[in-house]
Amino acid sequence: MAGMTSPVLDFWFDFASTYSYPAAMRIGALAEGAGVRVRFRPFLLGPIFKAQGWTTSPFNLFPAKGRHMWRDLERLCAGLELPFRRPEPFPQSSLTAARVALTGLDHGWGEDFCRAVFQAEFGEGRRIDDTDTIADILSELQIEPEPALAATQSDEIKTRLRAQTTRAEELGLFGAPSFTTADGELFWGNDRLEQALKWAKTQMGQDQVGARVL
Amino acid sequence: MAGMTSPVLDFWFDFASTYSYPAAMRIGALAEGAGVRVRFRPFLLGPIFKAQGWTTSPFNLFPAKGRHMWRDLERLCAGLELPFRRPEPFPQSSLTAARVALTGLDHGWGEDFCRAVFQAEFGEGRRIDDTDTIADILSELQIEPEPALAATQSDEIKTRLRAQTTRAEELGLFGAPSFTTADGELFWGNDRLEQALKWAKTQMGQDQVGARVL
């Protein structure tokens, strides 16, 4: 485990984001190898897409782009030996999962929960917009589902997720996954994970004040 | 030089496309190392963007995406030790350059010309939409400018560039750079160059009938 003076990288993702899946599955081992502390930052892409005039995923709005993405993701997962199954429907609401993740990140089980949600959605084709799926995932992680699900209806968690999304937009995010460093660099996409970690290493010991919203 | 039975990769690019610059500068050495024969396929993104409802580059339409792209390209070029200068205006018409490239690719100087155009535009900030710049580039390559520029007004070259653009769309292209293989795989983006070359190697000795439009 990296200590308090380790360099920090913020990992921004939406559970509905396809390329956030390989990023979430890869980031732990890569960050540990690089000696970088990662902070998981779930947010909602929906409001950011809406601000760009999009009412659904650009992969649905632009079919040629979408066709390539699904094939690319399939090739990518095969190369990483990650299970892959195209979720139906796509995208699915990530609201409940994101709110549960915030609670989990406060209590030490957030990162495992995030990986389990991505695996359920893109590895097994399960419906993450279904509260039952989220409850099952929590149970599989030995977490009592009821309190975490009840918290998704609290004003505190709702407000925090909105604030995190606002912060993402302020940092210039327009898609996911994205990575931000203490000195304000933004890296977009699973393909930039290694580069972002390398960059973060140069920020040794600095605090990431700008990204601290929670 | 790879022989006639080498695997083939088609490299699709638009001179106005930012990430086509590092791809064009990298592809020669990487392809030689991989034993893959590359075919340069200039085309026009404009008509393809128009079909998606875009009247200019998505990097202009979506400012946050554009801001990231310029910074990302700058970081990328620094890592590759490629000169970088943000072109003004952006995008510039790539029509004349693309037509000259088609002539050049028939006569053995096309790939050098393509690299020189990308370097002029993204390395030196020169205006590639200016016929004088294209003439200068040709002169620097010891190519007589007048015949190549005159050919840009011929029906034959105009028709061929249109056909190449139509073919790009048929192959599912929606952006540049893109790479296509004999077995119909499409790879989008400079980040996929290595993967595309690796894939092409598995197509040893097959002909790329589908992509042969010229």
Side-chain angles (χ1 to χ4, degrees), chain A residues 5-182:
Chain A
T5 58
S6 302
V8 170
L9 186 69
D10 279 346
F11 167 40
W12 299 84
F13 59 92
D14 182 315
F15 286 110
S17 149
T18 53
Y19 289 106
S20 293
Y21 168 45
M25 304 315 262
R26 297 194 312 124
I27 198 166
L30 288 173
E32 195 169 328
V36 171
R37 186 164 61 97
V38 169
R39 294 192 297 205
F40 276 45
R41 299 291 197 199
F43 73 109
L44 297 180
L45 268 176
I48 290 174
F49 282 171
K50 263 195 197 115
Q52 295 181 155
W54 299 339
T55 53
T56 180
S57 165
F59 296 127
N60 290 344
L61 291 171
F62 311 112
K65 199 178 175 88
R67 274 190 296 274
H68 172 268
M69 180 277 291
W70 289 117
R71 178 66 182 133
D72 185 53
L73 188 64
E74 187 178 29
R75 287 186 304 230
L76 204 60
C77 289
L80 295 167
E81 298 185 2
L82 283 177
F84 172 71
R85 203 167 135 186
R86 182 173 167 166
E88 287 289 347
F90 174 82
Q92 290 170 26
S93 169
S94 51
L95 184 66
T96 301
R99 288 179 181 166
V100 171
L102 286 184
T103 297
L105 290 165
D106 287 344
H107 292 92
W109 48 265
E111 299 189 11
D112 286 339
F113 173 77
C114 291
R115 281 185 287 267
V117 171
F118 278 118
Q119 157 109 11
E121 181 181 21
F122 294 107
E124 299 159 25
R126 288 157 75 188
R127 292 283 300 257
I128 64 142
D129 58 347
D130 184 336
T131 306
D132 290 347
T133 307
I134 302 299
D136 287 347
I137 289 170
L138 288 166
S139 297
E140 287 156 19
L141 294 170
Q142 319 287 331
I143 310 296
E144 220 187 319
E146 286 73 18
L149 288 171
T152 64
Q153 300 307 310
S154 71
D155 284 342
E156 190 222 331
I157 288 288
K158 288 180 183 179
T159 303
R160 278 173 59 192
L161 184 59
R162 272 196 296 268
Q164 186 121 296
T165 299
T166 301
R167 185 70 191 130
E169 204 165 0
E170 285 168 1
L171 288 168
L173 271 72
F174 55 93
S178 291
F179 311 96
T180 54
T181 62

Side-chain angles (χ1 to χ4, degrees), chain B residues 85-161:
Chain B
R85 203 167 135 183
R86 181 171 167 169
E88 287 288 347
F90 173 82
Q92 291 169 26
S93 169
S94 51
L95 184 65
T96 300
R99 288 179 180 166
V100 170
L102 287 183
T103 298
L105 290 165
D106 287 343
H107 293 92
W109 48 265
E111 298 189 12
D112 285 339
F113 173 78
C114 292
R115 281 185 286 267
V117 170
F118 278 118
Q119 156 110 11
E121 181 181 20
F122 294 105
E124 299 160 25
R126 287 158 74 189
R127 292 282 301 256
I128 65 143
D129 58 347
D130 183 336
T131 307
D132 289 347
T133 307
I134 302 300
D136 287 347
I137 289 170
L138 289 165
S139 297
E140 286 156 20
L141 294 170
Q142 318 287 330
I143 309 298
E144 220 187 320
E146 286 73 18
L149 287 171
T152 64
Q153 300 307 310
S154 71
D155 284 343
E156 190 222 332
I157 288 288
K158 289 180 182 179
T159 303
R160 278 172 60 193
L161 184 58

Side-chain angles (χ1 to χ4, degrees), chain A residues 71-72 75 185 192, chain B residues 71-72 75 185-186 192:
Chain A
R71 178 66 182 133
D72 185 53
R75 287 186 304 230
E185 289 290 324
R192 291 291 175 275
Chain B
R71 179 64 182 136
D72 184 53
R75 287 186 305 230
E185 290 290 325
L186 167 65
R192 292 291 175 274

Side-chain angles (χ1 to χ4, degrees), chain B residues 142-205:
Chain B
Q142 318 287 330
I143 309 298
E144 220 187 320
E146 286 73 18
L149 287 171
T152 64
Q153 300 307 310
S154 71
D155 284 343
E156 190 222 332
I157 288 288
K158 289 180 182 179
T159 303
R160 278 172 60 193
L161 184 58
R162 271 196 295 270
Q164 186 119 296
T165 298
T166 301
R167 185 68 190 131
E169 205 165 359
E170 285 168 2
L171 288 168
L173 271 71
F174 56 92
S178 291
F179 311 97
T180 54
T181 62
D183 60 339
E185 290 290 325
L186 167 65
F187 298 85
W188 171 55
N190 172 59
D191 294 324
R192 292 291 175 274
L193 172 52
E194 285 84 350
Q195 192 189 11
L197 284 167
K198 206 171 154 188
W199 194 284
K201 278 192 85 164
T202 68
Q203 303 300 307
M204 190 75 70

Side-chain angles (χ1 to χ4, degrees), chain A residues 180-212:
Chain A
T180 54
T181 62
D183 60 338
E185 289 290 324
L186 167 65
F187 298 85
W188 169 55
N190 172 58
D191 294 324
R192 291 291 175 275
L193 172 53
E194 285 84 349
Q195 192 190 8
L197 285 168
K198 207 171 153 186
W199 195 283
K201 278 192 84 165
T202 68
Q203 303 301 307
M204 189 76 68
Q206 292 187 36
D207 199 10
Q208 200 155 356
V209 178
R212 181 159 290 172

